[in-house]
Amino acid sequence: MLVRTARLSFLVIHCHRPLSCNRSARQSFWWCVSGAAARRRLRSMDPEVSSINPPPTTDQSPTASMSTDAAGGQEKTPPVDLLPGETVVNEGKAAILFPSANEVFYNPVQEFNRDLTCAVITEFSRDLMARRGVKVVVPGETERVVVSLSEETNEADVQNEEKNGAEEPKVTAKVGEKCELGLRVLEGLAASGLRSVRFALEVPGLKSVTANDFSYKAAALIARNAQYNKVSHLLQASCRDASMLMYEMRGKKQPYDVIDLDPYGSPSSFLDAAVQSVSEGGLLCLTCTDMAVMAGNSGETCYSKYGSVSIKAKYCHEMALRIILHSLDQRAGVYQRYIQPLLSVSVDFYIRVFVRVFTGQATVKDSASKQALIYNCVGCGSFHFQRMGRRTSNGKHTKYSAATGPPVGPVCEHCGQRHQLGGPIWAEPIHDLEFVQRVLSAVSGNPSRFGTSKRIEGMLSMVTEELEDVPLYYAVDNLSSTIHTNTPPLLQFRSALLHAGHRVSLSHACKNAVKTDASPAVIWDIMRCWEKANPVKREKLSETSPAFKILSTEPSLEACFTVREDANPQSRKRHLTRFQENPQAFWGPKARAKAGGGITTDLQDKRKKFQNKRKITDSSQLKTFPCKRFRQGTCTHGDKCSYSHDLEQTREEKIE
């Protein structure tokens, strides 16, 4: 009886004030959490489920319900048994109970995302705890090693590390232990709670971790996973609307030091609450999986969600990063706050950004000069930027004025085609190279800490090599495709830019990308020189095509394609794992969770029939598919038809 009362209090405390529900949904919701409905639900639940005590709420102190021994040890929780149909998923130091019926969302491919997040929060905690006089202790770290991709040793960095190591704080914070001066972490959309459990087990210097999810089943599973991993003293489960929870903590003046949001699709509905409820200088971690919208497939939808128009271009993955940073900065500016990007990565079907949020009215005024519109040529892919504002400094005085433009004419000067207008986007650096270097040093110095350490090291190495003051990039294969010539080797093209006196780097967002401060005119001059050595059939080119227009102009410089030593970056020389390798079949985004907490079970069957894209290896397999002409009553082949004339199968196809 006591157990049922505890579970009822958990429902009443955590499941209130749902956001954005219609009237019938609210009535159903309140009926579910009312006393009678809650008792009926508890009676219908398995005995093992109802025997799990709920974790303390976010308003209660976790230590209030902890039973400690004389030595001051952690809470002794009873063992948690597996329910029928449950399996254990191991990732990092966490062991997560996961229903085999897919009632709670889990994606194993996102292990890289979770590993990278743990590494970033650890370095953020190390910096913040050092200012509070606390030293964090990470298992497996013997001493801090400065990892530099350059061949020369930076003596200043070594001296700084030795100096920092000499002044060790008296208080230490270890993983799995509660630190009263530590960080308050919120995972707004926790699902199974895997990410939060890993925070509690792998990130030192934490005071509390709140794992929130709007699903009752997910919240119950989070509580079980917290007890199963013996982190109930750090991790509290919550069944609330994420936005309402963040708004409430802002109203109580209890902001979170770290907020992690990893929704299915767009996080746009949570951004307003997130930028308000994060503490001064706090860390905001965001994941966006709606890459189709942010990569130009639906520019009007992108504008409605993020206040920026996306366009289809080869640099769409980096543009997606800059769109979400623009949206964050714009929403933070409403509350006199601004962002400082620490790390922004684009990984195939999703992007991940880590930003710090500060308050400052004077700095917020710089926001307009940090945003830019994009003029993208539809013919040759050349792009130009138009800043939204202008900022000029004269000693201690700063003047803000409207920007002048546009930077291009009515048509492209290289191919004569029109321009597309995209943006605005974030036009400032998207990484803090000093912070990225510290994360890279920690990961490479302790490779056994994460399962994806090699890939993290490779990606962060590429990030440190990128030109931070050069937005977007060109794709070498797209340049050669425009003028219908063969693609120059990447090292030769990079060498030609270096010989011309320009800076150049690769990009973590695209394998064959080139970031350079050279103008489009220089790039096309280099491609014209390459075409002279590898000529195309000019007579086959249309006079209105971009290739004909570009090749009709003589180059104004003589490109040198001799390979230079500095054209090959260190990350490429060391053969680091820099890009995602397909780990398994159908490894992309999984299906959206259903309202009841589950996902579609026949997902693979639907994928095989999706848009009639069927792979047929034998003509006899055609009999398994219905005949479209027979369904329309126009098939004249009869029994000789290669497709099925089964009426029942035709009806099933119509129902699907």
Side-chain angles (χ1 to χ4, degrees):
M1 191 65 184
L2 294 176
V3 173
R4 293 180 178 177
T5 305
R7 176 55 63 91
L8 178 59
S9 63
F10 171 74
L11 288 172
V12 173
I13 290 175
H14 289 280
C15 300
H16 67 284
R17 287 193 298 178
L19 182 67
S20 301
C21 298
N22 55 31
R23 183 174 182 180
S24 60
R26 287 198 200 97
Q27 293 174 350
S28 300
F29 181 86
W30 285 109
W31 170 250
C32 291
V33 300
S34 62
R39 293 189 185 94
R40 281 194 291 271
R41 170 174 284 186
L42 290 173
R43 293 192 188 101
S44 63
M45 291 173 63
D46 295 335
E48 291 179 329
V49 178
S50 60
S51 65
I52 300 300
N53 294 326
T57 65
T58 55
D59 298 335
Q60 299 174 346
S61 173
T63 58
S65 60
M66 287 176 57
S67 60
T68 58
D69 54 15
Q74 296 180 1
E75 177 187 8
K76 294 181 180 179
T77 58
V80 179
D81 298 329
L82 270 68
L83 299 178
E86 278 189 341
T87 58
V88 179
V89 177
N90 295 291
E91 182 179 298
K93 293 185 178 180
I96 300 299
L97 303 178
F98 184 68
S100 58
N102 291 330
E103 292 183 353
V104 180
F105 181 79
Y106 171 72
N107 189 356
V109 180
Q110 291 280 31
E111 181 182 1
F112 170 79
N113 187 333
R114 291 183 281 267
D115 287 350
L116 181 62
T117 304
C118 289
V120 169
I121 297 180
T122 299
E123 291 308 306
F124 175 75
S125 175
R126 194 193 306 273
D127 293 344
L128 198 59
M129 291 298 99
R131 299 174 187 174
R132 300 176 182 179
V134 180
K135 177 184 178 181
V136 299
V137 179
V138 180
E141 280 189 0
T142 54
E143 60 182 16
R144 297 304 306 275
V145 179
V146 179
V147 177
S148 178
L149 295 179
S150 61
E151 298 178 356
E152 299 179 357
T153 304
N154 192 337
E155 298 181 357
D157 292 341
V158 176
Q159 293 177 359
N160 290 335
E161 289 292 329
E162 294 177 353
K163 181 178 179 180
N164 294 336
E167 302 175 358
E168 295 185 358
K170 296 181 180 180
V171 183
T172 60
K174 299 180 180 179
V175 296
E177 296 182 358
K178 181 179 179 179
C179 178
E180 293 298 333
L181 299 176
L183 308 178
R184 297 181 68 246
V185 182
L186 168 67
E187 184 186 4
L189 308 161
S192 62
L194 170 58
R195 191 184 300 257
S196 295
V197 172
R198 290 195 58 184
F199 290 164
L201 292 174
E202 301 178 25
V203 179
L206 301 183
K207 182 178 181 180
S208 65
V209 179
T210 302
N212 177 77
D213 200 282
F214 195 63
S215 169
Y216 171 82
K217 293 182 180 180
L221 185 62
I222 292 171
R224 285 173 49 79
N225 283 323
Q227 291 189 359
Y228 188 77
N229 289 271
K230 300 179 181 180
V231 292
S232 297
H233 61 289
L234 274 177
L235 195 154
Q236 301 93 43
S238 172
C239 186
R240 297 281 303 279
D241 181 274
S243 296
M244 295 302 296
L245 177 60
M246 289 186 283
Y247 282 131
E248 181 179 329
M249 291 299 106
R250 180 208 61 177
K252 293 182 178 181
K253 299 188 183 302
Q254 298 177 4
Y256 293 100
D257 299 300
V258 178
I259 296 179
D260 189 300
L261 297 174
D262 187 1
Y264 186 95
S266 171
S268 59
S269 59
F270 306 101
L271 298 185
D272 185 81
V275 297
Q276 295 184 68
S277 57
V278 69
S279 62
E280 178 67 15
L283 181 64
L284 189 57
C285 315
L286 290 177
T287 299
C288 305
T289 56
D290 55 338
M291 284 297 295
V293 172
M294 306 181 74
N297 284 0
S298 182
E300 66 282 355
T301 304
C302 185
Y303 182 81
S304 65
K305 291 183 177 181
Y306 303 104
S308 178
V309 178
S310 60
I311 55 178
K312 285 187 178 181
K314 286 294 183 180
Y315 49 74
C316 60
H317 289 89
E318 183 178 333
M319 184 178 180
L321 289 173
R322 297 182 178 275
I323 286 176
I324 187 62
L325 291 177
H326 156 75
S327 183
L328 278 172
D329 187 69
Q330 186 181 42
R331 302 194 189 200
V334 176
Y335 309 100
Q336 300 301 313
R337 310 196 81 180
Y338 63 94
I339 66 169
Q340 177 189 342
L342 295 181
L343 175 63
S344 307
V345 294
S346 177
V347 187
D348 300 296
F349 62 87
Y350 70 92
I351 61 176
R352 184 71 167 168
V353 295
F354 303 89
V355 300
R356 297 186 68 180
V357 182
F358 297 91
T359 304
Q361 184 177 5
T363 309
V364 170
K365 293 181 179 180
D366 298 338
S367 178
S369 60
K370 296 178 181 178
Q371 321 298 324
L373 296 171
I374 308 174
Y375 288 85
N376 180 76
C377 176
V378 299
C380 63
S382 302
F383 54 86
H384 299 79
F385 296 99
Q386 170 65 63
R387 294 277 179 164
M388 299 292 292
R390 184 179 180 184
R391 177 180 179 271
T392 54
S393 298
N394 185 12
K396 296 182 180 180
H397 302 282
T398 302
K399 182 180 179 181
Y400 299 93
S401 58
T404 58
V408 296
V411 295
C412 177
E413 60 179 325
H414 307 293
C415 65
Q417 300 293 321
R418 69 185 188 279
H419 288 96
Q420 286 179 324
L421 185 61
I425 64 171
W426 178 266
E428 294 296 301
I430 60 177
H431 313 293
D432 184 343
L433 295 185
E434 182 181 354
F435 180 83
V436 174
Q437 187 66 56
R438 293 200 300 268
V439 177
L440 175 60
S441 300
V443 173
S444 58
N446 190 9
S448 61
R449 184 184 178 193
F450 302 116
T452 60
S453 292
K454 291 185 177 179
R455 188 176 166 215
I456 293 177
E457 183 180 358
M459 173 166 286
L460 295 185
S461 298
M462 291 196 70
V463 167
T464 58
E465 295 170 346
E466 290 183 6
L467 296 177
E468 58 178 342
D469 58 339
V470 177
L472 307 184
Y473 52 80
Y474 290 94
V476 180
D477 58 340
N478 187 53
L479 295 174
S480 58
S481 176
T482 301
I483 60 176
H484 305 289
T485 185
N486 58 341
T487 305
L490 186 61
L491 292 183
Q492 291 189 23
F493 188 80
R494 285 170 53 91
S495 299
L497 289 168
L498 292 172
H499 284 301
H502 298 281
R503 295 178 299 148
V504 63
S505 73
L506 299 179
S507 174
H508 78 278
C510 183
K511 289 185 178 181
N512 53 356
V514 171
K515 294 174 72 74
T516 178
D517 59 352
S519 63
V522 174
I523 293 176
W524 286 120
D525 279 343
I526 293 176
M527 291 304 299
R528 292 186 187 100
C529 295
W530 175 259
E531 190 274 336
K532 288 183 178 295
N534 303 270
V536 300
K537 297 180 179 180
R538 304 280 185 100
E539 62 275 6
K540 292 188 176 182
L541 298 178
S542 172
E543 294 184 359
T544 59
S545 65
F548 183 86
K549 178 70 174 179
I550 293 173
L551 297 178
S552 298
T553 305
E554 289 295 322
S556 58
L557 60 85
E558 187 66 28
C560 178
F561 293 96
T562 303
V563 178
R564 291 177 42 155
E565 182 66 22
D566 55 349
N568 195 14
Q570 289 294 322
S571 62
R572 196 169 183 268
K573 287 182 180 179
R574 295 165 56 190
H575 303 286
L576 299 178
T577 304
R578 302 174 296 167
F579 300 99
Q580 171 70 50
E581 298 176 356
N582 294 352
Q584 60 188 22
F586 307 108
W587 67 277
K590 305 302 180 183
R592 182 186 294 271
K594 295 190 298 184
I599 63 174
T600 306
T601 56
D602 56 345
L603 180 61
Q604 304 301 334
D605 296 337
K606 286 191 174 183
R607 278 175 171 162
K608 293 178 181 179
K609 299 179 180 180
F610 184 63
Q611 293 183 353
N612 293 328
K613 295 177 181 178
R614 309 183 179 104
K615 295 182 179 179
I616 303 298
T617 57
D618 187 2
S619 59
S620 61
Q621 297 179 2
L622 295 176
K623 277 292 184 181
T624 61
F625 301 106
C627 178
K628 293 183 179 179
R629 294 183 178 178
F630 177 76
R631 184 170 55 188
Q632 298 172 357
T634 59
C635 182
T636 58
H637 297 286
D639 296 337
K640 296 182 180 180
C641 182
S642 300
Y643 295 91
S644 173
H645 285 188
D646 189 356
L647 292 175
E648 294 183 359
Q649 186 175 5
T650 303
R651 294 193 189 99
E652 292 178 359
E653 191 74 12
K654 287 183 178 180
I655 294 174
E656 293 181 358

